[in-house]
Amino acid sequence: MALKVAIIHYWLVGMRGGEKVLEAICELFPHAHIYTHAYDPGAVSPAIRAMDVRTTMISKLPGAKRRYKSYLPLMPLALEELDLSGYDLIISSESGPAKGVIPPPTAKHICYCHSPMRYIWDHYHIYRRSAGWLAKLSMPLLTHYLRIWDTTSAARVDRFVANSHHVAARIEKYYRREADVVPPPVDVDQIGPGGAPGDFFLWVGELTYYKRPDLAVEAFRRNGRRLVVIGDGEERKALEHGAPPNIEFLGRASTAELRQALQSCRALVFPGEEDFGIVPVEAMAAGRPVIAYGRGGALDTVTPGLSGILFEEPTVESLMEAIERFDVEAASFSPELIANHAGNFSRAMFKRRFTDSLQAMGVEMPRESKLAS
């Protein structure tokens, strides 16, 4: 009898790291049904559109494709209203609410956790400080309720898989559960090393506070070195204001433009603390070293002396010292060895590791699963 699989993904309104994970899971289970709170077919890849995608009651609320986060307090109810009778395997893809479904008694439930919901846990006070007055008033009560539900619903999961050791530690802290660590898939085979590096350092990402672009901009303001910034976001106007000529803001870039920038930079600067961090792996796939803050997912991907340099404090001074160290050590980094290291985070490696976690639960993989690509 064929395995009947339901995949629960928080929302499908764009293609970011979580959706790349979903694509790879769909290759393992091409006949699975996907359940999600909000779905915009035009914003996702053809591979996801080809699946049988079903939505919760959230999708029927006004403006759900754009205002889905406004309906966060209703998502636990929406998940618990899903009838998953008859499914043998539940795979929840958790960052927003997804794992809180009620699985059938005989079904196995594995949760791939990109992150426990940061806006109700470790980033709660950051989000509340930046919220409008109405949200500031309502957040304490709503998030209190969500925390209770979030910890309670963790008991409905048979096995947790985290995308990094950093996230695994947070799962243990908030849910008191152990987790396998399976890094997310990165399309490293589509990048590859380029020619000789140029004269600039690179910062890539959404220009938002927690990614700490301010540290990079201030460090390069002081040292006068050339920095290219790719990305857009709420912090861009403030960062661009008064920036010296050695710091260039390019805004959003196409896939080809980003690849070319990664291949030709001296090094990627990565000063934020992230759950995993795909951009450093992409830079390493291009053969370029990474100067990263030594916390979070960077500890899983950046190996000092092989693929980059780690700095210890989230300060301008610590970052500047790391850049000076890089200048001394730059010639010792091998583009080929760095790119080989990035291969540990390929799509094929993700599927093999995730399959290992599934098989450890006693799940028999379907014959049509694509493990190699």
Side-chain angles (χ1 to χ4, degrees), residues 143-258:
T143 52
H144 174 71
Y145 143 73
L146 282 170
R147 287 186 201 105
I148 293 171
W149 176 84
D150 195 38
T151 52
T152 301
S153 64
R156 304 172 193 175
V157 176
D158 296 306
R159 194 179 192 98
F160 275 98
V161 177
N163 66 357
S164 68
H165 287 89
H166 177 62
V167 168
R170 288 167 57 224
I171 289 170
E172 198 282 329
K173 181 69 174 177
Y174 299 131
Y175 303 153
R176 301 301 178 188
R177 297 285 301 277
E178 293 185 356
D180 300 340
V181 175
V182 176
V186 183
D187 292 325
V188 295
D189 299 331
Q190 297 179 16
I191 303 174
D199 66 346
F200 68 94
F201 292 80
L202 182 65
W203 188 97
V204 177
E206 184 181 357
L207 291 167
T208 189
Y209 176 76
Y210 84 90
K211 291 181 179 285
R212 301 310 308 266
D214 58 307
L215 292 182
V217 169
E218 183 58 29
F220 283 84
R221 182 196 303 275
R222 294 187 193 180
N223 68 20
R225 311 289 292 278
R226 187 178 171 212
L227 175 69
V228 171
V229 177
I230 291 179
D232 209 345
E234 60 197 23
E235 298 281 316
R236 179 175 178 179
K237 187 175 290 186
L239 291 168
E240 220 170 350
H241 180 70
N246 61 298
I247 302 175
E248 185 179 3
F249 291 81
L250 298 185
R252 299 189 187 279
S254 67
T255 300
E257 290 168 337
L258 177 58

Side-chain angles (χ1 to χ4, degrees), residues 90-92 99 108-113 154-162 171 177-182 353-363:
I90 313 296
I91 303 172
S92 53
K99 72 180 185 306
K108 294 179 172 67
H109 180 184
I110 187 169
C111 174
Y112 186 90
C113 188
R156 304 172 193 175
V157 176
D158 296 306
R159 194 179 192 98
F160 275 98
V161 177
I171 289 170
R177 297 285 301 277
E178 293 185 356
D180 300 340
V181 175
V182 176
R353 290 166 176 153
F354 190 62
T355 296
D356 288 344
S357 290
L358 289 164
Q359 291 177 332
M361 297 173 65
V363 175

